[in-house]
Amino acid sequence: MGASQHDAGPGPHAPVLYQQVLSALEPRAGGRYIDGTLGGGGHAQGILEAAGPDGELLGLDRDREALNVAARRLERFAGRAHVRQASFAAMGEEAAALGWDGVDGILLDLGLSSMQLDDPARGFSFRREGPLDMRFDPSQPLTADEIVNHWGEAELAGLLRDFGEQPRAGAVARAIARTRPVRTTTELAGIVARAAGRSRSGVHPATQTFQALRIVVNQELEALSQGLEASLGLLRERGRLVVISFHSLEDRLVKQFLRRESRDCICPPEQPVCTCGHRATLQSLTRRPVRPEAAEVERNPRARSARMRAAERLSAARSLHKRNEVGSGG
Ligand SMILES: C[S@@+](CC[C@H](N)C(=O)[O-])C[C@H]1O[C@@H](n2cnc3c(N)ncnc32)[C@H](O)[C@@H]1O
């Protein structure tokens, strides 16, 4: 590993689980890597340093502003860093456009960056007054304002339950519907706090509502499923997939994907004979998710909920071998 924590710069904008990501990806000279969530480019910088002198990186982000910041940070890797505005769901197409038919590592550091959270105009934070926006890509049509002010009360309640795990979803949706139009983030946070009451965990009650809105505005779970599937088509033998998630809905999706892809049979357990023909494509490298150490959380409280999972691409022959070992009945 060629980069140290110091290279990425400590502080609130430091990339989360930086050393752990580099250890899991094991970037090497000549390798090709995709950072599907480029953000400020901190992880990407570390990958390019460790993959010097000739390793390349394709960095994607939906947010043009983030790409500008990252492009400046990665300027000195000219020719080795390829920066594109795209969803990681489209990583296959973006890699193909570069003429890449495979990669040695893929990183997804999900959710939003501190740059986005700290900018009131983006509308992600309930602590800063701003418009109800929450789009990673401000050119897309759906905003949080549209959902909050125009969706039906039942739809709103469903969204809060499904994507915010909001225990008082019905009451919160009713309060929002009765107070429309709701124009700013802080106005919405106040309505939610009054309707949901204090949470026992000490977490601000608007946290879950804002999470739910952000997930739906950006179709985050759909993008994650598509990105994970796309990674299978791109990873070369022994290539590494590393995913950092920040809430249980994301982590569950990643965990289920890794579990499915580590198995040779995904038939229902009650089925005596395998008919699915599924073969393991990945070997998990993290039995449990990797969490940040206390010192990192102290330096960067945003890291608190981060969970990293990693896996290695199996070769076709190894998949077959594993299949024989395990037996086709799963
Ligand atoms: C946690 S930040 C990444 C920080 C980055 N690892 C760093 O070192 O600075 C997540 C980034 O992913 C972007 N993002 C979220 N969903 C995306 C998607 N489906 N495709 C591409 N980028 C996405 C966000 O715009 C944000 O900039």
Side-chain angles (χ1 to χ4, degrees):
M1 191 186 308
S4 69
Q5 183 111 28
H6 187 70
D7 293 325
H13 294 285
V16 167
L17 292 166
Y18 179 75
Q19 293 294 355
Q20 294 88 335
V21 164
L22 291 181
S23 301
L25 274 178
E26 286 188 342
R28 55 170 180 77
R32 283 180 172 165
Y33 300 89
I34 294 180
D35 182 343
T37 49
L38 194 57
H43 285 119
Q45 178 184 337
I47 295 167
L48 282 160
E49 279 166 356
D54 54 353
E56 292 181 58
L57 177 130
L58 168 59
L60 307 175
D61 204 292
R62 296 184 67 191
D63 184 349
R64 161 90 16 230
E65 277 180 35
L67 287 177
N68 291 340
V69 173
R72 275 197 300 281
R73 186 174 196 158
L74 304 179
E75 234 163 29
R76 70 187 165 96
F77 301 104
R80 298 212 279 130
H82 313 277
V83 170
R84 304 280 184 270
Q85 186 178 17
S87 168
F88 54 68
M91 66 171 90
E93 291 85 333
E94 293 298 326
L98 274 178
W100 291 8
D101 57 1
V103 298
D104 301 287
I106 296 173
L107 169 65
L108 299 179
D109 174 17
L110 301 169
L112 78 168
S113 68
S114 335
M115 287 187 298
Q116 291 163 328
L117 187 65
D118 293 344
D119 180 356
R122 304 296 298 269
F124 286 110
S125 169
F126 54 81
R127 297 189 195 283
R128 293 162 204 269
E129 173 131 48
L132 289 169
D133 191 315
M134 303 193 197
R135 291 172 294 179
F136 288 143
D137 174 3
S139 72
Q140 72 162 52
L142 183 63
T143 62
D145 190 300
E146 172 69 23
I147 298 175
V148 167
N149 289 303
H150 298 287
W151 282 25
E153 189 183 314
E155 271 180 301
L156 260 182
L159 169 156
L160 296 174
R161 226 181 336 263
D162 295 348
F163 302 112
E165 299 173 294
Q166 170 70 258
R168 304 207 56 212
V172 173
R174 203 169 317 122
I176 293 173
R178 283 187 187 159
T179 325
R180 287 169 179 172
V182 185
R183 287 295 165 223
T184 68
T185 46
T186 44
E187 216 182 311
L188 177 62
I191 296 166
V192 175
R194 283 190 294 280
R198 278 187 173 204
S199 79
R200 266 188 239 133
S201 62
V203 172
H204 191 291
T207 308
Q208 289 135 314
T209 298
F210 274 59
Q211 172 188 303
L213 287 168
R214 208 196 72 208
I215 290 176
V216 173
V217 165
N218 297 293
Q219 302 195 332
E220 290 180 39
L221 299 180
E222 292 87 337
L224 178 55
S225 295
Q226 290 163 9
L228 293 172
E229 294 297 337
S231 73
L232 289 181
L234 277 171
L235 282 171
R236 292 175 174 150
E237 181 182 340
R238 308 210 62 187
R240 300 277 174 92
L241 172 66
V242 177
V243 187
I244 304 175
S245 55
F246 289 87
H247 56 77
S248 55
L249 297 172
E250 284 171 348
D251 188 53
R252 195 176 311 146
L253 235 158
V254 177
K255 188 167 96 180
Q256 285 170 352
F257 171 79
L258 295 184
R259 189 179 295 154
R260 186 193 80 199
E261 288 309 317
S262 318
R263 291 175 58 183
D264 283 317
C265 168
I266 51 172
C267 291
E270 64 277 10
Q271 193 172 306
V273 181
C274 171
T275 52
C276 69
H278 186 264
R279 285 189 190 162
T281 55
L282 295 174
Q283 173 153 17
S284 177
L285 301 173
T286 45
R287 271 174 65 87
R288 290 171 202 284
V290 176
R291 311 288 304 261
E293 286 171 11
E296 175 170 1
V297 176
E298 200 175 311
R299 240 183 3 253
N300 176 13
R302 191 185 157 259
R304 189 185 54 236
S305 41
R307 290 168 221 175
M308 185 190 95
R309 295 184 189 268
E312 183 174 272
R313 184 74 160 99
L314 294 167
S315 69
R318 247 178 100 198
S319 300
L320 198 60
H321 175 66
K322 209 169 169 248
R323 183 179 171 79
N324 291 338
E325 267 177 9
V326 174
S328 58

